[in-house]
Amino acid sequence: MLFRSAMSSTYGVVSTPNQSFTVSGSNLGSNTVTVTAPAGFEISLYGTTGFSTSVTLTPGVDGFVTNTTIYIHLSASANAGSYSGNITVTATGATTINVSVPASTISQATQSISFALITSTTSNKTNVDNIRVVARASSGLPVTLIRSEEHTS
């Protein structure tokens, strides 16, 4: 197994620390090498930036791709759930290599919701007829408000 362990994260947050592996190739001519992450993961040539679903490596004039570190983490935009699969390493005329990624988990984010009373109008002193409330979830996800009526007599 290339990876030390499964990765884990919370929805909206990338897994840390990144894990990595090395890619190299020879006799490629001018054929580029494409490294593609499985669903739920992102890869990069840099440890902290440039993460996407795939990266492309260009061989030198000698047809070689020297040892290149590929970093991988769970994507912040992937939904909560379990992810696994293969990173694929492909080049025209070369055998495809599959690098197994252990089952990794993104947990559901805990949300806090804050409310602010914006306006209210009353028809008398004991009943509130109209209240407009603005709600925002800490995760940025939409909030659904359910109307509940309570009247005092």
Side-chain angles (χ1 to χ4, degrees):
M1 166 79 43
L2 284 174
F3 296 106
R4 296 182 300 274
S5 61
M7 293 170 254
S8 63
S9 185
T10 302
Y11 175 77
V13 180
V14 298
S15 58
T16 57
N18 297 321
Q19 295 202 33
S20 64
F21 66 101
T22 303
V23 172
S24 63
S26 60
N27 301 318
L28 295 166
S30 61
N31 297 318
T32 59
V33 175
T34 302
V35 183
T36 305
F41 294 90
E42 295 175 317
I43 56 177
S44 174
L45 297 173
Y46 316 101
T48 57
T49 61
F51 282 88
S52 66
T53 58
S54 66
V55 296
T56 301
L57 308 174
T58 303
V61 294
D62 57 2
F64 285 83
V65 169
T66 57
N67 288 342
T68 304
T69 301
I70 306 293
Y71 299 91
I72 183 169
H73 65 209
L74 283 163
S75 172
S77 62
N79 291 325
S82 181
Y83 295 89
S84 62
N86 290 316
I87 299 168
T88 58
V89 182
T90 60
T92 301
T95 302
T96 296
I97 297 172
N98 291 304
V99 180
S100 179
V101 179
S104 298
T105 305
I106 298 175
S107 301
Q108 183 65 42
T110 302
Q111 294 188 59
S112 61
I113 300 174
S114 60
F115 295 93
L117 179 63
I118 303 299
T119 59
S120 67
T121 58
T122 57
S123 58
N124 59 48
K125 294 181 189 220
T126 58
N127 292 335
V128 175
D129 292 328
N130 297 299
I131 297 177
R132 193 178 110 202
V133 176
V134 174
R136 290 184 176 82
S138 60
S139 67
L141 295 172
V143 175
T144 302
L145 298 177
I146 299 171
R147 183 179 177 188
S148 175
E149 294 184 29
E150 183 177 317
H151 296 281
T152 58
S153 44

